[in-house]
Each structure stands twice: as structure tokens, then as C-alpha cells.
Amino acid sequence: MDAAFTEEQHEIRRTLRELLVKRCGPDEVKAAVRTPAGYDTELWQQLAGRLGLPGLALPTACGGVGCGPTELALACEETGRAVLPSPLIATAALAAPLLLALGSERQRSALLPALAAGELTATLAVPGGQLATALALTGPNDGGWAGGGRAGGIQARRVEEQGAAAPAQDGGRAADGGWRLYGEAGQVLNGHTADVLVVAAHTGGFARSRTLLFLVRAEGGSAARTGAESGVPGLLRTRQTAMDETRPQARLELREVPAELLGEGDGEGKGDAAAVVRALAATGVTAATALAAEAVGAADTALARTVAHVQQRVQFGRPIGSFQAVQHRLADLYVRLQAARSAAYYAAWSAGGGPSAPEGAGAAEPGVGALALAQALETLRAVAAEAVQLHGGIGFTWEHEAHLYFKRAACDELLLGPVHRLRARAAEEAGLFPGGAGERRGSGEPGRAPAPGRTAATVEV
């Protein structure tokens, strides 16, 4: 196996880094997050038009660059270095993979080229703050996390054209196949500006309970970036206050919002719901890998800035970086950073085995995405905390750039963590412990098989 990056991959990193160094310094980041959109729209258009960033992992047939999760992860590492506020994760790592995996030919041809070109942005809306569960990163995603009739979820129901036969009480197919969504979702990444919302909703009542994905064309997304109201009937989008302003989030309230089922089916068969579960889990691997790479990039820059500071800061007549205690702390951080980088690269390589292989081959190794994300988030949190400490009094001021990394570390773990649950899920998926996912799957339950040599029967605790 050749683990070296190709020249094309190196060029992606170099080009993106050069652009972000010029256009995305700490002052530019702080100015961008205070705009209505929460990011620099001109820079985003430049990244999309010049580098094809949102379409990096999409096939050329869909208007993308034709690369894969590895190239997307390398790009995310560079955006993480600059703590770039952008809809990249929401569009390229969450919404686009679901559209590619489940969308009908009409849906893919209508949306994916526009997403790849930066003309539209998209995001995934999951109710109840259950994004990590929906993506199968902290637990199985085949439960009732989308609502199941409970408060806080999103319910989907069929509607019919006036004069058509009434739909069956059990959710039978209506004449026009239209759907209406009712409920709310919080902590939706870039939800206040996204042009396309991929909404996870519960349908079928108790007897035929299932979770499906729906498309809502929020035509007011572009207008929302300038402070205008959304043009979708029944949809209210409110930007939420978040500690990490570089990762804007929103609350969506849906009151009988018109929606379209994502995919070719009618949403009635068990196969449709099972396909949604599988697609969300596969998207979870891609999203976890991208976020892990972002965390590695952020930690790398935070550590580099801290090393530069301790080399210049003089105390007791000498740079504080010359003190052995400080050197030991920085050396420990460097080792952790390299371990996190290796984990993120391996996860990207594992996730990237699928697109170039025949259909059904090259699936990512079980738990690799969650494990890489746990390692990267823990490393970023440690590096950011030491950066604040080693910068001394100035590091404790809220306006210092060290807090950009500290806030990113805290909020990313709240979004897709916590770390101990990511690790527990990775161990369960790999079948490391008796009674875990590997042993249950061996008894006939659906799911991925445990990794070779890691079955529960061969592990002693």
C-alpha cells in the first residue's frame, strides 16, 4: 500500500492554503461570523468557483470534481487551520452524500451540479439535537430519534390534490405523492441560509413507524443571507447563539411545510427506511472524517502559534520556551497531534475506498470514522487549552485568537460527541467486547459484520 499523497492532492492543499492565508486571517474570521450569513459569501464563491470545494467529493457526472473523501478531508484540514466559517461541512459532508446515495435521477441532476458549483448550499436537519445518533456515530441509528410521535420530533404526512381519494389511515399513498412536515429541529448547521434542507422526519404512526428523508427547497436561503425572510410557507428559520460563531447553527420550525420525498420509492416499503439508515451511517463516516481533519488542522495551527509565542515571550531573562517543563508540554501535544493526524488520514483512506471500487465494495472499516473524530476532538481540546495557558494573561482574554480554537473544540464535541461515546460506538461496531454490536450481528441482526480478527468471540476482557 502506498500511503503517500498524490501530486494532485498536494496541489489541492497548497492552493487552498495560499488562498486562505490571504483571505482568512483571525480578523477576517471575526468579521465574517458577524454577518447575517455567518460567513464570507464572496470567499465561499471563490472557493467554489476556483477550487470546486463543495463538489470535491462528487462525481464528474454530477458536476463535481470527481475526487473522494480523502481529498475532501485534506481540504477540510486546510479550512480547519484557518477556522474558516463556511457551509462546507453542511453541504459537502452532510447533505450532498445523502442526495448522491438516495436521490432520484431528477433530484440529483437538479441539485448536485448547483451544489458543486456553489450556486446552492444545503444542510441536514435532524430533530432533537440527535445528529450524532442519526449518523450512527454514538449509537445505532435505527431507533425513533426522528420523533416517533414524541414532542420535539418532526412528523411527515401525505397530502392529496383537492378532489382526489383520501389517503389511507395507515399512511397509504396519496394521489400526488406530496408530503407535509410538522415539527422543529435545533442545532442545524447553516440552517438559516441553506437553499436546500434535507430533513429527517418520522412517518407511519406507531404501527408502521419509520424514518425517511425529505427535501425542502428553501428558496429564501440566498435572501436570508441579507436578512430577508424565507419564502417557504410554514418555515421559520432562526439563527441560534452559539459559543463557536464560526460554526453557525439555526433552529427550524416547520408548520405544514411542503416537502418532497428523497429518493425513487414511495416511502411505504421497509426497504426505503432501511436504505435511509444505511445512507445516514455511510454519511456519518464521511462527516466524521471531515470534522476530524478540520480538528487536526485547527490543532496544528494552534500549536504552531503557541510554539512561536513561547519562543518570543521572555521571562526571568530567557524565552519561556527554553524551560524544560514548557518543552515537555509542547512535545506531548505534538505527539498527540501526529496521532490524531494519522487517525484522520486513515479514516479518510478507509472511507475513500468505496467510490473507485465496484458497487458494494470498499466499505469503510467499522468504527474508523468515530474513532478518528474522538482522537481529533480530544487533541484539539488539549491543544487549545494549553494554548490559552501558555499565552499567559493575554491568552485568557476572550478576544484573543486562541479562543477561536478553544470554542471550536468545545462546540464540535457538543455537536457530534462526546468523545467517550464516540469511542464506545467504535468499539461496539468493531465487535471488541462481548455483548457488543459484533456479537449481536453474529446472531442474525442486520448491520455490518465485525472487522476480520475482531469478533467478540476472540476477545477476552
Side-chain angles (χ1 to χ4, degrees):
M1 181 185 73
D2 185 4
F5 293 121
T6 65
E7 183 56 36
E8 181 184 13
Q9 291 168 338
H10 283 301
E11 185 61 28
I12 291 173
R13 302 178 71 173
R14 283 194 299 266
T15 305
L16 187 53
R17 185 178 302 187
E18 290 172 2
L19 179 59
L20 293 179
V21 166
K22 296 176 182 177
R23 295 288 307 276
C24 197
D27 292 336
E28 287 81 2
V29 169
K30 293 175 183 178
V33 298
R34 289 172 173 80
T35 63
Y39 62 93
D40 187 341
T41 55
E42 292 184 4
L43 177 58
W44 172 248
Q45 290 301 321
Q46 189 174 1
L47 292 171
R50 178 179 170 184
L51 301 177
L53 203 57
L56 203 57
L58 290 175
T60 55
C62 297
V65 179
C67 296
T70 301
E71 288 76 13
L72 179 61
L74 292 176
C76 287
E77 184 179 359
E78 297 306 318
T79 61
R81 291 180 191 276
V83 202
L84 173 71
S86 77
L88 178 62
I89 293 295
T91 299
L94 292 176
L98 292 171
L99 284 165
L100 183 62
L102 298 176
S104 65
E105 185 62 33
R106 178 184 57 82
Q107 291 167 342
R108 289 197 296 264
S109 61
L111 297 176
L112 288 179
L115 292 176
E119 298 170 2
L120 297 176
T121 60
T123 191
L124 172 63
V126 174
Q130 297 292 315
L131 181 60
T133 301
L135 298 177
L137 292 175
T138 56
N141 66 341
D142 54 357
W145 49 265
R150 297 172 297 179
I154 298 178
Q155 304 298 317
R157 68 177 183 87
R158 283 191 177 279
V159 296
E160 61 174 66
E161 292 179 342
Q162 188 173 2
Q169 292 297 319
D170 63 354
R173 183 177 179 83
D176 65 348
W179 294 81
R180 296 293 183 270
L181 304 181
Y182 190 95
E184 65 179 46
Q187 294 179 287
V188 180
L189 291 180
N190 298 98
H192 63 302
T193 59
D195 301 289
V196 180
L197 303 175
V198 180
V199 183
H202 171 266
T203 187
F206 178 79
R208 303 183 62 189
S209 175
R210 59 196 181 279
T211 298
L212 300 174
L213 296 179
F214 299 87
L215 291 177
V216 175
R217 291 295 301 269
E219 301 294 346
S222 298
R225 295 171 193 149
T226 59
E229 292 293 332
S230 171
V232 181
L235 176 62
L236 177 62
R237 305 195 283 180
T238 307
R239 183 175 177 180
Q240 295 178 300
T241 301
M243 177 186 289
D244 180 16
E245 294 178 303
T246 67
R247 194 84 81 191
Q249 302 176 21
R251 183 178 70 253
L252 307 183
E253 298 179 33
L254 304 100
R255 302 293 182 264
E256 298 297 319
V257 173
E260 175 186 1
L261 181 67
L262 178 62
E264 298 277 8
D266 58 5
E268 299 302 328
K270 292 183 179 179
D272 294 331
V276 168
V277 169
R278 291 193 299 269
L280 284 169
T283 299
V285 176
T286 301
T289 300
L291 280 169
E294 270 201 347
V296 167
D300 195 10
T301 299
L303 181 58
R305 293 181 184 276
T306 303
V307 170
H309 174 77
V310 300
Q311 290 175 337
Q312 298 173 0
R313 177 74 169 90
V314 175
Q315 188 69 31
F316 304 111
R318 54 191 292 192
I320 62 174
S322 64
F323 294 112
Q324 192 175 53
V326 173
Q327 292 175 353
H328 286 173
R329 291 166 70 175
L330 294 174
D332 289 341
L333 294 178
Y334 179 79
V335 171
R336 296 181 66 170
L337 174 60
Q338 295 306 315
R341 175 176 282 118
S342 296
Y345 286 173
Y346 180 78
W349 172 81
S350 179
S356 59
E359 186 175 356
E365 182 178 343
V368 67
L371 195 59
L373 181 58
Q375 183 79 12
L377 290 178
E378 199 170 54
T379 298
L380 177 56
R381 184 176 60 190
V383 171
E386 289 288 4
V388 172
Q389 288 280 336
L390 293 175
H391 274 83
I394 190 64
F396 280 86
T397 59
W398 202 238
E399 297 78 16
H400 193 270
E401 61 192 36
H403 285 269
L404 290 174
Y405 308 101
F406 179 80
K407 296 173 187 177
R408 172 63 66 88
C411 289
D412 275 5
E413 186 170 356
L414 290 174
L415 184 68
L416 287 181
V419 164
H420 71 274
R421 289 188 62 188
L422 289 169
R423 285 203 171 98
R425 176 58 177 169
E428 181 186 29
E429 282 196 301
L432 293 181
F433 302 107
E439 185 172 290
R440 291 198 301 271
R441 288 170 186 152
S443 62
E445 292 190 13
R448 288 178 296 189
R454 297 185 181 181
T455 58
T458 62
V459 178
E460 298 181 2
V461 179

